[in-house]
Amino acid sequence: MNILVLGGGGREHALAWAIAQNPKCDRLIVAPGNAGIAALAECAELDILDGAAAVDFCVARAVDFVVIGPEAPLAAGVADALDAAGILCFGPSAAAAQLEASKTFTKEICDACGAPTAAWARFTDAGAAAAYIRAQGAPIVVKADGLAAGKGVVVATSVEEAVAAVEEMFAGSLGSAGASVVIEEFMAGEEASFFVLCDGTAVVPVGTAQDHKRVGEGDTGPNTGGMGAYSPAPVLTPAIQAQALEEIIRPTVAEMARRGMPYKGVLYAGLMIEGGRARLVEYNVRFGDPEAQVLMMRMGAQVLDLLLACAEGRLEGAEVNWAADHALTVVMAAEGYPGAYAKGSEIRGLEALPEDSAHMVFHAGTALRGGRITANGGRVLNVTARAASLADARTEAYAMIDAIDWPEGFCRRDIGWRAL
Ligand code: AMP
Ligand code: GLY
C-alpha cells in the first residue's frame, strides 16, 4: 500500500523507519520530512495544516493510508477532511483532539467520567484568577487553556510567581491560547507517560516511557520539548498501568464515545504517580516526541499493522508482541536551545554509525545542503539504541553520540538517571 506520514521531526522519522520495514508498505511519502527521513522515504511539500490540500495530494498519488504525526494538523481537522473523502487515516478528529488542544475540555471530561486528576478552576479574568491563587496558596500550577507548543504551563512555587504568570498570559504572551487560564492543584510524585491505541471503543496499550523535559543535567533549567526518553518506564508497574486503564483511560474513551466524538488514534496519558496510584496530568492526541523514537524502536515493523487496525476499527484483541528489551534516546540540540540558536552548522560522522534494528539516529531538525547534513532546528538529532538492559541501551546511545562530530551541538549526559 501507499502510505503518507505527515510531519518532519524525530517522531515522524521513527514512525517512517518502523513503517518502511513492514512488507505491506510499498511506497512511503513523508511531508515535509527532513534530511534523515529522505534516506528511507520520499519527502514531499504539502501544507500539512490544510485538509483539502491533503485530500488532493492523496488522490493524486493514490495514497491508501495517512498517519498524522503532530497535534497541529489534528486540531486543524485534517483527519476529518481525509475521513470525509474516504481516505483511511490514523489520528483523531478535531473534536476528539480537544483532549490536547483544550485543558478545560479535558478537565470537564475527567470530571464527567470520574478520572482522578488535579483539582482545577478556569478563569477569563486576571483579578479573579489572582484571588483564587491567593486563597489556594503555593505551589500551584497555571496553564494557558489552548495549544501553546509546550510553553503554556507554569509550575509556580510561590503565589507571586503564579499571579505573574496569570498576568502575562492575560496580557497576551501566548496569543489566543492564553485568553482563558486553568489553575490547578500541584500534584507531587513521579511523572511517566502511558501510550494506548484506541479505535473508538477498544484500547490497546503500546508502551510506557519517561522523558526529560528540562534542558540541564539532573533535570534542571528551563523546560524543553524533551531532551531524551526511555522505554519502558519502570515506575509504571503492571498494577499501576491496570489502574490507569480502568480509572482514567477507559472511562475517558467511554465518555468521548458517549459525547459522539469517539477517540481514534494514539492517546498519550501523562500520569503523575504517587503512593502506588496514577492521576492524570494531561492528555496528548499523538505520540510523544522523543518518546515515539523509543517506542518505535521497540515495536518495529508491527507498528504499521497496529496503526491500520486502529484506523479500521479492528483493535479488539490486538496486542503488541513485546521483546524483553529497553530503548533509550538522547536528544542532541543546537547550542542555545531552548533559547535562541543558530541554524546551518554542519554535522559530521553520521555515515560511520551503525544503522540497524537496535541503533538509529533519528533526525529531528536537519536539512541537506550541498550533500552535507546541517542543523535546521533546536532539537536536531535523536540518538537511539535498544538493548537487553536500560544500562546497555544507554551505553550504546552515548557511544554513538561520542562518534558524532558536531561542535555546535550539545546533549544531556544523564538521560535515564531516574531509572538506573
Ligand atoms: P502539561 O502541558 O499539562 O503536561 O504540563 C507540562 C508539565 O507541567 C507536566 O509534564 C508536569 O511536569 C507539569 N505539571 C502540569 N500540571 C501539573 C500539576 N497539576 N501538578 C504538578 N505538575 C504539573
Ligand atoms: N516529549 C513530550 C511531548 O511530546 O509532549
Side-chain angles (χ1 to χ4, degrees), residues 58-146:
C58 290
V59 171
R61 312 247 188 150
V63 169
D64 303 296
F65 184 41
V66 182
V67 177
I68 303 181
E71 64 276 19
L74 295 166
V78 172
D80 305 75
L82 291 165
D83 191 48
I87 298 163
L88 189 65
C89 167
F90 175 81
S93 65
Q98 290 179 87
L99 281 178
E100 174 164 0
S102 166
K103 306 275 185 208
T104 303
F105 178 84
T106 301
K107 286 298 199 181
E108 285 170 356
I109 293 282
C110 287
D111 286 355
C113 72
T117 184
W120 67 289
R122 170 176 181 260
F123 297 91
T124 51
D125 168 86
Y132 179 81
I133 289 168
R134 292 205 171 86
Q136 297 293 316
I140 193 159
V141 182
V142 178
K143 299 185 175 184
D145 199 2

Side-chain angles (χ1 to χ4, degrees), residues 103 107 117-119 140-143 150-155 183-189 191 211 213-214 223 268 270-272 279-284:
K103 306 275 185 208
K107 286 298 199 181
T117 184
I140 193 159
V141 182
V142 178
K143 299 185 175 184
K151 298 177 181 75
V153 175
V154 175
V155 179
I183 300 179
E184 278 187 19
E185 164 200 1
F186 172 80
M187 295 188 285
E191 255 184 294
D211 78 344
K213 288 188 205 291
R214 304 298 190 101
N223 258 323
Y268 159 176
L271 302 174
M272 189 68 79
R279 287 203 283 169
L280 184 75
V281 178
E282 61 157 355
Y283 281 125
N284 294 307

Side-chain angles (χ1 to χ4, degrees), residues 211 213 225-226 268 284 286-291 379:
D211 78 344
K213 288 188 205 291
Y268 159 176
N284 294 307
R286 48 170 175 86
F287 282 106
D289 188 346
E291 293 88 336
R379 292 190 295 170

Side-chain angles (χ1 to χ4, degrees), residues 8 13 33-40 43 332 334 342-353 355 360-377 379-383 404-409:
H13 191 184
N34 63 39
I37 293 171
L40 55 85
C43 293
M332 294 190 82
K343 290 185 179 179
S345 55
E346 186 181 351
I347 303 165
R348 296 190 191 83
L350 293 176
E351 60 296 333
L353 293 176
E355 273 196 8
M360 266 306 287
V361 177
F362 295 117
H363 291 219
T366 61
L368 204 53
R369 289 217 192 122
R372 296 158 202 263
I373 304 278
T374 59
N376 196 39
R379 292 190 295 170
V380 174
L381 299 174
N382 307 142
V383 182
I404 295 172
D405 177 13
W406 180 33
E408 295 83 0

